[in-house]
Amino acid sequence: MRRFLDRYWYAYAMVLPVVVVISVLVLLPLGQGVFFTITDINENNIANPILDRPATFEVVGLANYLNVLSGDPAYGAFWSTLVRTLIWTFSGVFFHYVIGLGLAMLLNRPMRMRSLYRVLLILPWAVPAFISAFSWRYLFNADYGLINWALDSVGLPTPVWLGQSDIALVAVIIVNVWLGVPFMMVALLGGLQSIPADLYEAAEIDGASPWQRFVHVTVPALRSVSNTVVLLGIIWTFNMFAVVYLVTGPNPNTRILITYAFERFFSGATRDYAIASTYGVLILSVLLVFASVYRRALKRQGEVW
């Protein structure tokens, strides 16, 4: 052990501050949240030093998990909210990838003013999410929004985009796609530029069509980059709170797991910290299971990840 520390002490000294920060900012709150899930803690029974009130909450075991997983609407209708969250996540990531790959392939070709196009396409990613959310909320306004004005100008119906209907979910998916495409485009563009031109030249000499070159050269060469950005996109979109909540507010038609956890923790007649923490742990569990299954699938395909 002494020889090991004498050899690697510098590396551990460099890593120690990061470990301490992560422990304080992530691991301790996570542990407290997990503890809250086995209690009935809420705004009325938590300790309050200002009011000189001691904590009176009790340990209830797995009751919170059973109540949430039962699908009771009083606890957020977990299963229907999970289905809506999955629709929101996979539709967003699908369009992120498809549109991002299309734009990346266009920008990877020689063209005039290519640098300008790159900058313009990255702008949505550079703008803070809350500013974009409020801008899109104005655009989707049923009475004064530019989108309905444009639809009305060409004689098309003007829906209430952010109302109490499933159209609101479509609206937030559009906003999320607009925000997420630039990252996907930049990542895939980097992957495209790393593909040797010799592969395309050899395929073209062998008589491969553009579609065949795309399927048999581009897609396999991008597999490593695609796997990483798709996983990151799913995790980020699954937990994307700002877009949903800032565009539509606490709308039951756009409620996903993370927004309901926020509503339960910060709003309502009584702030229910126990149920909100239970949702947080379940969200983490879903993502861990997905990441594990995703990693196993990649290993079966021969990917080292």
Side-chain angles (χ1 to χ4, degrees):
M1 178 62 71
R2 181 181 300 174
R3 289 196 301 269
F4 180 81
L5 292 178
D6 287 343
R7 185 174 182 180
Y8 298 110
W9 71 268
Y10 184 81
Y12 281 97
M14 294 295 100
V15 172
L16 182 61
V18 178
V19 173
V20 172
V21 171
I22 291 178
S23 299
V24 173
L25 298 181
V26 178
L27 297 182
L28 289 179
L30 178 62
Q32 184 181 50
V34 172
F35 172 70
F36 282 175
T37 65
I38 60 173
T39 69
D40 62 350
I41 189 169
N42 58 46
E43 187 178 16
N44 296 328
N45 57 27
I46 193 173
N48 191 329
I50 297 178
L51 300 178
D52 195 22
R53 184 183 68 192
T56 57
F57 60 86
E58 299 177 353
V59 175
V60 296
L62 299 178
N64 291 324
Y65 292 98
L66 296 176
N67 290 333
V68 171
L69 294 177
S70 68
D72 189 341
Y75 297 95
F78 176 81
W79 296 109
S80 61
T81 305
L82 176 61
V83 170
R84 188 181 303 110
T85 305
L86 294 177
I87 294 172
W88 148 264
T89 301
F90 289 104
S91 60
V93 174
F94 173 79
F95 288 112
H96 286 168
Y97 186 84
V98 172
I99 299 175
L101 178 58
L103 292 175
M105 294 185 66
L106 288 175
L107 292 178
N108 194 43
R109 303 174 62 183
M111 59 188 303
R112 297 179 60 186
M113 303 177 65
R114 182 169 59 175
S115 298
L116 176 61
Y117 294 145
R118 289 180 180 178
V119 172
L120 293 177
L121 290 171
I122 292 174
L123 279 180
W125 190 33
V127 176
F130 72 94
I131 295 178
S132 299
F134 287 133
S135 300
W136 277 97
R137 186 168 183 169
Y138 170 74
L139 292 174
F140 279 122
N141 185 279
D143 298 321
Y144 310 106
L146 295 179
I147 293 177
N148 275 4
W149 173 82
L151 293 175
D152 184 62
S153 300
V154 296
L156 294 176
T158 56
V160 181
W161 290 97
L162 306 181
Q164 302 293 320
S165 68
D166 292 334
I167 298 179
L169 183 61
V170 175
V172 292
I173 289 175
I174 292 173
V175 178
N176 183 51
V177 169
W178 186 81
L179 287 171
V181 163
F183 166 77
M184 200 71 71
M185 179 195 69
V186 171
L188 294 174
L189 180 59
L192 288 172
Q193 292 178 342
S194 67
I195 301 175
D198 297 344
L199 296 178
Y200 291 104
E201 293 175 0
E204 189 173 1
I205 292 173
D206 290 340
S209 65
W211 173 251
Q212 289 174 326
R213 293 198 295 270
F214 172 76
V215 172
H216 298 291
V217 178
T218 304
V219 173
L222 285 178
R223 182 175 299 167
S224 179
V225 176
S226 298
N227 291 336
T228 302
V229 296
V230 167
L231 178 60
L232 291 175
I234 289 175
I235 293 174
W236 291 340
T237 306
F238 198 92
N239 287 319
M240 179 61 73
F241 167 82
V243 170
V244 177
Y245 203 81
L246 294 179
V247 172
T248 65
N251 187 333
N253 295 96
T254 59
R255 177 181 292 155
I256 59 176
L257 295 178
I258 192 69
T259 59
Y260 183 74
F262 177 87
E263 292 174 28
R264 200 79 186 212
F265 200 98
F266 290 103
S267 61
T270 302
R271 298 179 180 180
D272 196 335
Y273 306 137
I275 297 299
S277 299
T278 302
Y279 265 83
V281 172
L282 290 174
I283 291 170
L284 176 62
S285 302
V286 170
L287 291 176
L288 287 176
V289 170
F290 171 79
S292 177
V293 172
Y294 190 81
R295 183 172 178 272
R296 288 177 179 271
L298 294 183
K299 290 182 67 176
R300 285 197 296 268
Q301 296 176 5
E303 293 285 337
V304 179
W305 194 81

